[in-house]
Amino acid sequence: WTERQNVVKSVFNQSWQAYKRDAWGFDIYHPVSHTGENMGPEPLGWIIVDALDTLAVMNLTEEVSLATKWIEQELDYNMDYEVNLFETTIRMLGGLLGGYYLTGQPSLLTKAVDLADRLVDGNVFDTPSGLPMATVNLRTGQGRKSHTDFGSSSTAEVATLQLEFRYLSKLTGNDKYKLAVDHIMTVLESQNRLNPEREGLVPIFIDVDKGQYRGQNIRLGSRGDSYYEYLLKQYLQTNCTESFYKTMYDESVRGIQNHLLGHTAISHNLYLGERPHGIKGELSNKMDHLVCFMGGLLALGATEGRSLAEARTDSNFWTLSKEVEIEIAEKLTQTCVKMYENTGSGLAPEIAFFNDDNDTGKPLCGVSALRQFDLQRFGYDCLKDDLYIKPADAHNLQRPETVESLFVLWRITGKDIYREWGWEIFTRFREWTEVKGDETFDINGFTSLQDVNSVPPKQRDNMESFWLAETLKYFYLLFEEDETAKDAVDLKKIVFNTEAHILP
Ligand code: DMJ
């Protein structure tokens, strides 16, 4: 495992060195064309800040110094530019705080405070409900509601600021950050009480004027995902003392069990679908790769970061429902691994659709009595597989969610299979996402893919910052053997924010 971990480190280092050579300081990196761009008039640190605590975890000390120096000398958030409050919080504020937590470098905290003040001191929270608008101008503090979605904010976006702002209040002694985000949770909790039939599941949009959910669409993929994640993690962050959040989390787990799970037709794999028309509407068989964080979260929620063996022996703590949560966590993660195994490249698509054993009405290929001719005549095709991928969803953005769950499940269950699966997936990333072929460059970057089913998959020209912040960090931690290093990221002592930044 140590050898494998070294390979992960070398892939990280390669990605980082290629970025340094081609696009140092830029927010967006195009590894195929060897260019960079900024999102606004000046750099936001999108890649450097997001990568900082991974550099620290991998003990790349010279690179940590270089990145920190860039943050101190080049990064100036005083710019007339509107940023997304959620993305800036999870990636930039989270990155600075994770970097500060691991290195103790005071300038990172100073920069975090400067950024957070720009986010909260203006009027982004000045809505009738106190729920924040979607974007904020870094110089003027002017907030703005989303120009789409009828001005609503995404549920995940308003409910995924809390770990970062609460930690900052703890560090600075200034309550203003915590108060702003705690208020959001109070509003959301009262919405749950008004709608008990949803059992803790929530629509993906919220009207920031009324403080009420908008529409009926319920999903744990985009716009919904980290709402559920931060319910549990806020509870873990303060050493399991605030039951308010755990109660909300537990209710949502019941909702997931009762309303969102399905089984596939052939292998009876468990998948987690969507309710686009509300809790009483039909279960859709769509599952975003983003949902794959859920296996890890359920396991973390069941043991609260302890190993399964330890948690099970605590009779005051362990219950049958926790056992069920572990079972669901393991099965969902296996389904996510299948999303990789079922493609030509061995890498998962952005979205998969699962053939549910209840609703396909189609015969299985090869076992059907109907001949191919009849199948076509009756508008049937037969079921070859448990999942299918629509062409528009076949890309791969180097996302972390499955490896995140593999890491958490490895830590909690101690089963080697999670590391084996992780190694297989990592090998595929290495094989297909490295930018090869131009002899002028001695170091190749890594990039996103257009279609995971074509072999070799066509490459896109973009490296997502979470490749460095999350995906490679979780691979690296999955293969960790050294006990002291493991202890530094003990799930009983730290929480990963939703961008994998490490906070106590
Ligand atoms: C990351 O920015 C975060 O994990 C976020 O919560 C969801 N999506 C991406 C990675 O896929």
Side-chain angles (χ1 to χ4, degrees), residues 319-382:
T319 57
L320 187 59
S321 61
K322 290 178 195 287
E323 201 67 63
V324 173
E325 286 165 31
I326 290 287
E327 192 184 331
I328 297 172
E330 295 207 75
K331 286 187 171 162
L332 282 178
T333 304
Q334 192 170 358
T335 303
C336 289
V337 170
K338 197 158 179 174
M339 281 170 77
Y340 287 74
E341 289 174 348
N342 266 48
T343 66
S345 64
L347 289 172
E350 179 73 357
I351 299 170
F353 288 81
F354 288 89
N355 290 314
D356 193 284
D357 55 3
N358 288 321
D359 64 15
T360 65
K362 294 176 185 174
L364 299 184
C365 298
V367 297
S368 167
L370 293 173
R371 287 175 298 125
Q372 198 59 35
F373 170 77
D374 294 319
L375 288 171
Q376 280 162 8
R377 196 164 133 237
F378 294 115
Y380 270 89
D381 53 344
C382 60

Side-chain angles (χ1 to χ4, degrees), residues 46 50 86-87 90-91 156 160 221-223 225-227 229-230 289-290 293 350 397-401 404 464-467 469-471 474 497-500:
W46 214 247
D50 224 9
F86 154 78
E87 293 288 0
I90 66 166
R91 300 187 195 216
T160 313
S222 61
R223 301 183 186 278
D225 48 6
S226 44
Y227 162 81
E229 178 182 356
Y230 272 34
H289 183 273
L290 287 169
F293 78 99
E350 179 73 357
L397 301 181
Q398 310 170 286
R399 286 200 190 275
E401 292 76 18
E404 170 182 348
E464 294 288 343
S465 68
F466 48 70
W467 169 245
E470 299 195 68
T471 311
Y474 284 127
N497 90 335
T498 193
E499 188 77 2

